[in-house]
Amino acid sequence: MKKYQKAIIATATVLTLATTAVGCSSPKADDSNKTTQQTQTDIGKKKVIADIEMTPKNFTYKQDDTFNEKGKELTVIPMHIANNTKSEFGVGAGDFHLETADGKKIDTFGYHDSFGDVIPAGKILDGNAYFAIPKNGKDYTLVYHPAKAASEQTLKWTIGSPKK
């Protein structure tokens, strides 16, 4: 009887290990889609114009119960801007806008902590840019283009859809 018990335990162990190995070795479909989706955006990618480094940190919805624009949702993009020049540099959230997949321009939404300042040489500015976007909107591009800048002074980031 003990001989059969050892054989049954050994067989069960082998089957359990084999099943576990097969289950752990195949990727989940949901995980591979998330990875693909994340690599399609420029969120977190630094871009440089005239020794000024700009990086959008993320693109998320902003919960604010006082926001009440019909058919729109409030979003926020935290920006990291480094002035690597030898002179000060002025920048604000108003220098940015969103473009939709069909080419429509969405200007920043004035919000109490939107960024705007003169960055001294060698210093950094971190701040938020807010946008009121259509509900269920997707495939956005963040554009840096100050109002009085030449057309070649433009940076673009593909940022996709906001995250909750």
Side-chain angles (χ1 to χ4, degrees):
M1 183 76 174
K2 288 186 180 183
K3 199 175 198 183
Y4 292 113
Q5 285 179 339
K6 287 182 183 179
I8 290 172
I9 291 173
T11 303
T13 303
V14 169
L15 289 174
T16 302
L17 289 174
T19 304
T20 303
V22 169
C24 292
S25 65
S26 60
K28 292 180 182 177
D30 292 342
D31 290 344
S32 63
N33 289 340
K34 288 178 185 175
T35 303
T36 303
Q37 189 176 27
Q38 289 173 352
T39 58
Q40 293 176 348
T41 70
D42 292 332
I43 295 294
K45 290 185 181 175
K46 171 178 57 175
K47 296 202 177 188
V48 180
I49 187 167
D51 289 332
I52 306 294
E53 298 176 355
M54 299 182 181
T55 310
K57 294 298 187 182
N58 57 43
F59 183 33
T60 58
Y61 290 102
K62 171 75 175 168
Q63 177 63 40
D64 185 341
D65 294 336
T66 63
F67 180 80
N68 57 4
E69 290 200 20
K70 282 195 172 230
K72 296 192 176 185
E73 295 179 284
L74 186 62
T75 60
V76 60
I77 301 174
M79 294 295 298
H80 177 82
I81 303 170
N83 180 358
N84 296 323
T85 68
K86 294 185 181 196
S87 60
E88 59 188 21
F89 175 74
V91 65
D95 295 330
F96 294 85
H97 67 267
L98 292 179
E99 287 181 359
T100 62
D102 59 358
K104 291 181 183 172
K105 179 180 173 183
I106 301 172
D107 289 321
T108 53
F109 181 80
Y111 201 71
H112 68 89
D113 72 342
S114 294
F115 74 91
D117 207 348
V118 174
I119 309 170
K123 298 295 181 182
I124 293 172
L125 173 68
D126 287 305
N128 296 322
Y130 295 88
F131 298 91
I133 63 169
K135 287 188 177 184
N136 302 318
K138 24 176 135 167
D139 298 327
Y140 291 98
T141 300
L142 175 66
V143 178
Y144 167 75
H145 184 75
K148 297 181 182 179
S151 61
E152 65 272 1
Q153 291 182 318
T154 300
L155 295 176
K156 293 185 176 189
W157 295 264
T158 302
I159 59 172
S161 301
K163 309 293 180 249
K164 295 232 177 204

